[in-house]
Structure formats: C-alpha cells, structure tokens
Amino acid sequence: MKFFFILLLILLNSSVFSQKIGVVLSGGGASGFAHIGVLKALEEKKIPIDYITGTSSGALIGALYASGYSPKEIESYVLSKRFQLMTQGSLENNQQFFFLEDENDASIITIPFAKDSTLLKSLPTNFISSVLLDFEMMRILGTVSASKNNDFNQLFVPFRCVASDIENKKSINFNKGNLNLVVRASMTYPFFISPIEIEGKLLFDGGLYNNFPVELMYQDFDVDYIIGSNVTSNATKPSEDDLISQITNMLVSHSNFSLPCEYGIIIEPKATLNTFDFEGVKKAIDEGYFSTLRMIDSINLHVTRIENSIELEEKRNTFKNSVTPLNIGKIYAISKKDKDVSFVSNSISKNKKGIILSEKKLIKRYFRTANFEQVDNLYPTLSKVDSTYNLDIYVKKNKEFKLDAGGHFSSRPINTGYIGLSYLSVKKNAIKVKAESYFGRFYGSIKTTIDFTIPNYYPITFSPYFTMNRWDYFRSSATFFEDVKPSFLVQNELYYGLKIKNPIGNKGKNTFDVRLFELNDSYYQTTSFSSKDTTDLTKFAGTNLSWTMEFNTLNKKQFANAGNMFLLKCRFVDGIERSISGSTSLEKYDSRKHHQWIQLNSEFQTFPISIKHFHFGIHGKAIVNSQSLFANYTATLLNTTEFAPMPDLYSFFLAEYRAPQHAGIGVNLIISPIKNIDFRLDSYYYQPFKQLIILDGGTFTYSKLFKGETLLHALSAIYHSPIGPIRATINYFPKQLNPISFQFSYGYVLFNERAIR
C-alpha cells in the first residue's frame, strides 16, 4: 500500500512539473502594448510561460520576450525616445546627416516616379519611413535569431507568429527564419509602413487574416493550458454611409477570439488607444498589468506549476550570454532590380581583410548610407559566422525620377512658382542629376546640378553646376491689388563651376567652390524715370573661390523653432567691371575697373529654450568685406551683401540694410499654443561698420564708422501645414516712407544661391 501511495505522489508531482503553459497575444496596434503588462504580471505571480504566439503588435511583444528580454526591459524600451521616433518614422540626432541634405529650395510637394511607372505605381505605399524600425528589429531580434540558427524553437521561449499573404488571401505561419523580418512582416499595417517581401511573397500585418493565433499554439506546441491576451475585436458590420467600415471589411477577415478548449483563460485589457497612439502605450501597459492581476486567482486554479524567479533570471542571463554581440565581418548588398548596388555595402564598410565593424561604427555608417536620397529603404538580416555576423542588406532603391513643385504665393506682387526634376541612380556610385526652375515676375532662375558621390567611410561629393538668376525689383512693397511702376532695378546672373563637399561629423559639412560668373545689372539712379528712359548698365565678370563650413540641426528649412545653426564662409572674388551711363544719369561715363576682394561671412542661430509651447532663439549675422568702390553708388550697392535675417527681406531692395561690413543680432520669440501653430516675433538690431553714403554733387563714399544703425521687426502667425507654411506677417522697417507692410503668403521664400553677393 505504501508503495502505491509513493508512486501516486511521484505521478502527481510529475504532472505538475511537466505542465506546459502557452501565451497567445492578439494584434491591436498601440493597444497591443497591454501585452507587456500581462507578461509583467504573470512573471510577478510566478506563472510560467513555456510557449508564445502572437500577431502584429502581439508578434513584436512576443518576439522580444522570446528573445530573452524581461517584461520590464520591454516596457523600458517601448517608452524610450528611440522607440517613439521609430513609430513616427523619424531618426535620432546621431542618425541624421546634414551632409546628405539637399540645398534648401521652395519645394512643397514631391512626387517620385519611374520611367515605366503609371500614376498608380507612383502613389506612396507607406505613411512613415521604416528605416529606424528595420534596423532596430535587426539589432534587437536579428542577433538572437542568427545566434540560434534562425530556429524559433531554440529561443528563450519557443515562438510562433503570423503574417498575411494578400495575393493568396491566407495567413502564413512562421516557426523559423530571420526573426526580425518575420516580425516586421507581421506588424506591417497597410499604408502605414511599407510591406516586406519574404521568399517571393509580399506580406502584411498578420491581423488581417488571423488576429488571435490560438490555433497555431495548439497546432505547434504540446500545451496544457493557454493564457490569451486580447485587446481587439472583429470589424463592425459595414454601413452604406461609412467608407472606412466598408474598406475594413473588404480587407480584414474575422478572427475567432475564443479558446477551442476549456483549458485556458482570456484576459481582455480595456486599452482603448487609437491604432497609432504610441505615445499613450504606458496607459495600455498598466491596463494589461491590472487586468491580469484581477484574474490571477482564476489562473492559479489551473496552473499548478510555479516559476522560480531567481532561476528564471539566471536562465534568462544564460540565454543572453549565448547570443553573439553585434560585430560585422562582411557586408553584402542586393537589389531586386540591379545586380550591382555595391555603393551601399562600400559606404558602410570596404570589407578589408581583418576589419571588424562594431555596433557603434555600424550605426553611424548604416544610417549615413540610408540617408542617401537614392535609397528608399534598407532591409538588413544577419547570418552568424564564428564570432561575427555577415550583414545582408536588401536595398530598395528610390524611384529613378522625382518631381518637386512649390513656390511662394503672396498678397504682394512677388509670387514665384518652383518646379524641379531629379534623376537618381545608385550602383557602384551614387549619382543625382537635378534641373530646377523658379518663375515669376519678381524672380526667375534656371539651375542644373550633377552630384557624383564616391562611396567611402567619409564620402566625397563632386558637383558641377550651372545657374542663371534674374531679379526684377519694382515697387515690391505694393499689395497684390495695386498697380506698380516700371522696374527700377533688374539683376541678371550667370555662373557655373564645381563644388566639392565632404561631411564634418553628423551635422556639418565642408564645401569648396570654384566658379566663373557674369553679372549684368540695369538700374536707374533716380526715382524720376519713365518707361522711355534707358537704364545705367554694369557688367561684372570674373572668378569666385570660396570655402564654407556649416553645421545645421534646425528643425525646419524656414521659420525654425528648434535646433542650432552655424555658418562660416570665406570668399575671394576677382573680376572686371564695365559700367555705362543711361539717360537719367547726372553725368555720362563708360568705366572699366579691376576688382579683387576677400569676404568673411558668419551666421549663427540657436534655440536655447525650446519646449512644447514656447521657444526662444538668438540669431546673428556678420560680414567683413574688402570690396572696392564700383563706378557709381548704385553699382557698388548692388554688389554688396544685404543683411536679411528674415526671409521677406530678400524680396525688398533696401539700401539701409546693405553695407560691405556689418553685423546684426536679434531674438526669435515663438509661442506654439497647439501643434504646428506658431505666433512669432522676430526683432533685430542692425549695425553697419561702414556704410555707403551719397555726398552733395552726386559723389559717394563710405560713412564714418558705426553710423546708420537701425532696427527691424516682424510679427507673424504661421500654420506649418503638411504641404508648406501658411503665414500672415506684419513687417516693420523704420527707415522706409511706409515702414509697416503686411503680407499673407503660402510657401517658402527661398531662392537659388547668388553668384557672389
């Protein structure tokens, strides 16, 4: 009798110790992060987790747990700034590269297209960029997967997830493969992030066809008890007046959110977040945690096995230590369309024998390469080789052509349209060819540029270019509805040359520029003229050599409210002037003169205070110039650089803000009551070191030092819309006859670079 009693105890204890618990995690967007709270509560109450399956956001949380991350580590990660940037399609500061940013232009919308694409193929398939998301999935999941032979049974907790094959209208189950890729596929919400291709199948969010993979748990694992966590439900019945409900029912299959047997329980956290409200995931985590605690007693009625917390942590640490650190030995870049995209791999590493790329170096070079305009996205995977990994990168290239359109449309008569067309190519080298044009009564321009970038740890770009500019200054302070006088000043510029650019860290760049130029200015030196009069003419042609060092982290290309900028430019100008008098000139002349000068130009802008509803900036500019006098006052003034800290100043010709040597400083006070709305006051003090003045008799010279100081102010209300800024501005220039001017405008007040001024 005693023998049978002992045998019974052994059998009972054996069943207790062999009891296997499976956890099933549903999809649900941001609400799915409640699963973190569920896992945290289960671990705290010593409920074992032997298997895990998930879909969509549940696949992400499940994969992180299966890869050895504790619930607290997962919570910390999804609440981090990096994760929040990932969900927004943004990058961290150390992952952005100013060197690769295009020169600022007035573009508002961009339409990429290929030479063989239709309009439908040119439409975007994603709302946000997944560059950071795809790298992070490789960094935190790919290393684990590659270290365990891409076998999901060898993970810390055996794992399964699902994705949706939209071509065959079926769910795809994954028990092996690159963990980072299959999880990325499982959470690819349609139109939010771009879809991913695995083994020739284009895959989307697993929740489309199976939003609660409990059958997969029964199918793949010998499970005794299931704990389900569900934060979603099937789509409501379509309504004839509700387009979204109709589309949802067309795309999404109804899932079964019940358990197929009695041995299990479903936890249903009421985390009512919007699908993409990732900023509110802490609320979802807490809801998942407390919802689980409320059901622990019910779970304990069936789960007789207890997980030893100390042993669990030791087991987790042992698993983590078995994962090889992220060190890259070789890099291979592949593309679906092109055999040779070696620019990508060579930009990250030349794969020299014996060179190991650490995670820190990889991050910098990887994101620098991903920032190239020719690259749409990079999908990285790892394969383990001894103590390092090979990095395989699938390169999704941007479409070959890009059309930009925009401009500046104002209540003043300075309306300017903009259009640009670019050709992009990346093979052994990265090439960009761009032709752009501004067109309007006030300003017109044609510019062509070729950017040729050689792959290297520190890339170098060679950029030959050609530019023609034309400014037509009439009474430009008039409103759109007023008549204007004939033009009193027209400037034409033609220049061409070569720029050589290289980066300085993440946020800076050097630019060496050599160009030949020809300037043709026609102007009146009096306000009393008619359309029958002829203008004075000044032609100035020669050579310009310059070096520019610039650092820039400003958050907008115009009307910024955060970040920093610093610019230092040295310029040498050598040229021949010829000036000829017109019919209104006080004296007849035909002057020829040789000019040489050196110019030093510096500018900075910083926002030491930049919080949610208030921003405070400081902005300064200074210029020192050894420029000699031209044939007359106006010709000299035209070849000096204006003080224009506010964009609107470029659309006026104001003599009081032009001097060969000057400095100015101001403040930017910005109140942002709601997102994308700014009320800003820009106030500046301007001090010329020496200024051009006209003497009695019509001669001209420089004034005494530090004469001619003045102020300037602008009060603006700006809406930063998704397609450009909409602005109402009152400018105050105190030395004008009409010091106050108003304008309502849309777009950017940006022009192509001047030849020398």
Side-chain angles (χ1 to χ4, degrees), residues 487-735:
S487 303
F488 71 91
L489 191 162
V490 176
Q491 291 185 293
N492 287 281
E493 299 183 340
L494 182 154
Y495 63 91
Y496 54 92
L498 174 69
K499 291 183 179 181
I500 302 174
K501 297 177 283 188
N502 69 285
I504 308 175
N506 285 28
K507 296 303 175 185
K509 65 179 176 181
N510 277 314
T511 303
F512 299 90
D513 187 353
V514 55
R515 68 178 55 161
L516 301 176
F517 65 86
E518 181 179 307
L519 314 181
N520 288 280
D521 299 334
S522 57
Y523 50 90
Y524 295 100
Q525 296 192 67
T526 175
T527 57
S528 301
F529 61 88
S530 70
S531 58
K532 296 180 180 180
D533 286 317
T534 60
T535 60
D536 290 48
L537 300 173
T538 294
K539 177 180 178 180
F540 184 46
T543 305
N544 171 89
L545 303 174
S546 68
W547 165 73
T548 305
M549 178 176 64
E550 184 177 4
F551 298 87
N552 197 326
T553 63
L554 295 177
N555 64 336
K556 295 177 176 65
K557 61 181 177 182
Q558 204 159 69
F559 313 116
N561 57 23
N564 303 283
M565 182 272 292
F566 173 78
L567 179 145
L568 177 64
K569 186 167 189 173
C570 303
R571 185 197 301 270
F572 172 73
V573 178
D574 180 279
I576 302 294
E577 170 208 356
R578 183 183 182 187
S579 293
I580 303 174
S581 59
S583 62
T584 61
S585 181
L586 295 177
E587 58 178 301
K588 301 300 179 182
Y589 62 87
D590 186 344
S591 172
R592 289 176 172 82
K593 190 175 183 181
H594 178 232
H595 296 275
Q596 280 188 344
W597 69 79
I598 295 175
Q599 176 181 301
L600 299 178
N601 182 27
S602 64
E603 181 179 3
F604 78 93
Q605 186 170 20
T606 182
F607 287 88
I609 301 175
S610 183
I611 56 179
K612 187 173 183 180
H613 297 299
F614 179 73
H615 313 269
F616 172 74
I618 303 172
H619 186 193
K621 302 181 76 170
I623 187 169
V624 178
N625 197 336
S626 63
Q627 178 182 331
S628 52
L629 297 174
F630 278 60
N632 58 65
Y633 168 82
T634 304
T636 306
L637 203 64
L638 288 172
N639 285 281
T640 59
T641 302
E642 70 267 52
F643 177 69
M646 300 180 297
D648 288 339
L649 281 167
Y650 287 106
S651 64
F652 294 94
F653 185 81
L654 305 178
E656 62 266 33
Y657 299 115
R658 287 174 176 259
Q661 298 180 22
H662 65 253
I665 192 166
V667 295
N668 316 113
L669 299 175
I670 305 165
I671 297 174
S672 306
I674 59 177
K675 187 177 181 180
N676 295 325
I677 297 288
D678 286 346
F679 295 98
R680 62 184 295 153
L681 171 65
D682 300 300
S683 185
Y684 290 87
Y685 173 80
Y686 168 70
Q687 177 65 70
F689 302 152
K690 59 178 183 178
Q691 193 174 39
L692 282 170
I693 56 173
I694 300 178
L695 303 175
D696 294 338
T699 60
F700 67 102
T701 186
Y702 288 119
S703 67
K704 293 181 180 180
L705 293 178
F706 303 108
K707 295 294 183 180
E709 67 275 5
T710 186
L711 300 171
L712 56 157
H713 312 282
L715 184 64
S716 304
I718 305 174
Y719 169 51
H720 299 280
S721 80
I723 52 172
I726 300 171
R727 176 172 60 106
T729 298
I730 298 174
N731 292 305
Y732 177 67
F733 306 136
K735 292 194 174 183

Side-chain angles (χ1 to χ4, degrees), residues 161-178:
C161 73
V162 298
S164 297
D165 176 2
I166 60 170
E167 179 184 4
N168 297 300
K169 304 290 188 298
K170 67 177 183 178
S171 187
I172 304 293
N173 301 331
F174 289 100
N175 59 15
K176 61 181 179 180
N178 295 111

